[in-house]
Amino acid sequence: MGAIRQRQCEQFATLVKNNGGPPRLIASGELDIASAAAFGLELADLIDERGPDVVVDVSFLTFCDARGLAAFVEADQAARRRGGRITLTGVRPQMAKILRITGLDRTFARSAP
């Protein structure tokens, strides 16, 4: 699995890998108001460049606030307009709880890591 690109800011980083299927974006650190805009742009770029299906590995996220969730929702809406979707993988219990409380567990496809 070769890395396509990697981006990093103070508390958050992404790594995009190509595994022969949909691109896999690995998100790590804190996805919050400070990093959500850049994260959203990264997802939008992937959807534009590689097609509407994107797998996001969230197993390395240590925090996700409402703005981070909004970035996921906006990206999923963009992907669905093009016939695809965002799939989350590596969802840990804390993130699963947030998704369940907000009702977003019904929005995002989830796959095993």
Side-chain angles (χ1 to χ4, degrees):
M1 234 187 305
I4 297 171
R5 64 179 169 237
Q6 185 172 2
R7 295 187 183 173
Q8 186 169 351
C9 63
E10 191 173 323
Q11 299 292 325
F12 184 76
T14 59
L15 174 66
V16 178
K17 293 193 170 193
N18 184 6
N19 59 1
R24 181 181 186 100
L25 184 144
I26 301 168
S28 62
E30 298 178 4
L31 181 54
D32 57 18
I33 193 166
S35 57
F39 177 69
L41 289 173
E42 179 75 17
L43 284 172
D45 287 349
L46 273 177
I47 291 165
D48 288 343
E49 294 169 9
R50 307 253 178 214
D53 290 310
V54 177
V55 176
V56 181
D57 184 339
V58 296
S59 60
F60 297 103
L61 279 184
T62 57
F63 179 79
C64 182
D65 70 5
R67 191 60 200 119
L69 289 176
F72 281 115
V73 170
E74 291 165 10
D76 190 61
Q77 290 170 345
R80 286 175 188 263
R81 283 192 297 272
R82 295 188 55 196
R85 70 184 314 173
I86 301 295
T87 300
L88 301 180
T89 188
V91 177
R92 297 186 326 192
Q94 181 180 5
M95 181 79 164
K97 182 178 180 180
I98 292 169
L99 293 171
R100 188 177 62 255
I101 289 169
T102 59
L104 292 174
D105 59 333
R106 295 182 300 268
T107 299
F108 297 104
R110 290 182 24 199
S111 67

